[in-house]
Amino acid sequence: MTYDRYTSIIQELTASLKELEASRSQHPLIQHFIKEEISDVKHALHLASQDRFGLCEMSGEEIPFDLIKMNPTVTSLREANEWRQYGKIHVGRQS
């Protein structure tokens, strides 16, 4: 598993997975979103176990760390750029 600057993020993902799996919502829409999130978190943890966490699944390039901190389940630069575009996130800029 990746034990470097991502260690605390991976630990948070592990804790989040336990909380999500313990969720007991009866509302179908909430259950749907919980299942999606569980899937995303498990995939991120799988990538970490293969030392590929934080790398774009398409190009192999590193995803900016600031974006990984905000969305630790992001898996591609395209997805990260969507966060920037639609979330109006400015990574690496200072005011």
Side-chain angles (χ1 to χ4, degrees), residues 25-94:
S25 174
Q26 298 301 315
H27 193 282
L29 185 59
I30 293 173
Q31 286 178 347
H32 170 76
F33 287 117
I34 290 171
K35 286 178 185 177
E36 280 187 357
E37 191 65 20
I38 287 171
S39 177
D40 289 348
V41 171
K42 283 182 176 182
H43 185 69
L45 291 172
H46 173 73
L47 292 174
S49 73
Q50 296 187 349
D51 291 328
R52 295 184 303 142
F53 184 79
L55 300 178
C56 175
E57 290 185 323
M58 301 167 114
S59 69
E61 294 179 60
E62 187 172 358
I63 297 169
F65 185 68
D66 289 341
L67 287 172
I68 293 291
K69 286 192 318 186
M70 285 186 282
N71 180 5
T73 59
V74 68
T75 60
S76 69
L77 288 168
R78 188 189 88 222
E79 187 180 354
N81 286 329
E82 287 174 2
W83 266 74
R84 283 185 185 165
Q85 180 180 359
Y86 298 113
K88 299 188 188 299
I89 296 169
H90 302 286
V91 176
R93 287 181 160 176
Q94 295 180 352

